[in-house]
Amino acid sequence: MNVNGVRAVGLLGAGALVLLAGGGVTAVGAGAPGLDTRTFTRISCNEKHTAKGGSVWHCFGMTAAQIEAAEEQEREAREDALRGGYPDLEPVPRTRLTFVDHDGRQDPAEVTATRVGSRWIAHAPGVVGTGAALLAVGAGLAAAGVVRLRATRPHAEQR
C-alpha cells in the first residue's frame, strides 16, 4: 500500500473514532436507555468568574434519595436536641451537575442528568448539538477516507 493508501486508511479510522465519540456525546446529552440517568431537584447554581474574563456556572442538585436522607438526618437531629444531645451533623452531599442549561436569572426547577464516570452530565441542547457536530465531522472524515481509498485502488483495466 502506498502513502496515499495509508493516509486514506488513517482518515477512515479517524472518521470512525470521531463518529463513535459523537454518538457517545449525543447519547449522554439525550439520555439514551441503559445509561444511569436521574432527575435532580433543589438545584442551586453559582456563577464563578474565570481568570480570562469569562464566567461559568457551577450547579448542584439532589436526587429524591438524597432529599430523603437529608430529611431523615434533620428529624434525628431534632430528636437528639430534644433529649439534650448535640448531634454532630454532616451535610448531605449535593451532586455536582455539568453543562446545566442556565439562563443566568434563576436556577432550573429540575435537571435530568446522565452519569459518565464520576461526573453527571445534564441533558442540554448544547451537549446534543456538540454530539451532532462530532457526528457530522466524523461522517465527513470517513467519507473522505473512503474516496481517497477508492482512488488508490487500481481500476479493472489496469490490473
Side-chain angles (χ1 to χ4, degrees), residues 7-159:
R7 286 183 183 157
V9 170
L11 270 176
L12 191 58
L17 288 175
V18 174
L19 276 169
L20 285 172
V25 170
T26 302
V28 167
L35 298 176
D36 187 8
T37 301
R38 296 190 186 156
T39 300
F40 294 85
T41 56
R42 297 187 183 179
I43 308 297
S44 63
C45 297
N46 304 315
E47 184 178 16
K48 302 287 184 188
H49 297 286
T50 64
K52 293 182 180 180
S55 63
V56 65
W57 288 95
H58 292 288
C59 297
F60 300 86
M62 297 178 86
T63 63
Q66 288 172 315
I67 292 169
E68 191 175 303
E71 289 170 352
E72 177 66 21
Q73 189 180 43
E74 270 183 42
R75 186 186 63 73
E76 288 176 5
R78 281 194 304 270
E79 288 176 3
D80 284 348
L82 288 174
R83 290 188 203 113
Y86 295 97
D88 196 20
L89 290 180
E90 293 181 21
V92 174
R94 298 170 61 85
T95 303
R96 176 142 187 232
L97 305 168
T98 307
F99 302 120
V100 172
D101 200 16
H102 196 281
D103 65 2
R105 286 172 272 165
Q106 64 184 36
D107 298 336
E110 70 177 30
V111 170
T112 303
T114 299
R115 182 172 35 190
V116 178
S118 63
R119 290 190 160 233
W120 287 88
I121 308 294
H123 298 179
V127 177
V128 174
T130 301
L134 286 171
L135 285 170
V137 169
L141 285 170
V146 167
V147 168
R148 288 186 97 176
L149 195 58
R150 289 184 62 96
T152 61
R153 284 186 24 205
H155 296 291
E157 307 90 45
Q158 294 175 350
R159 289 187 208 167

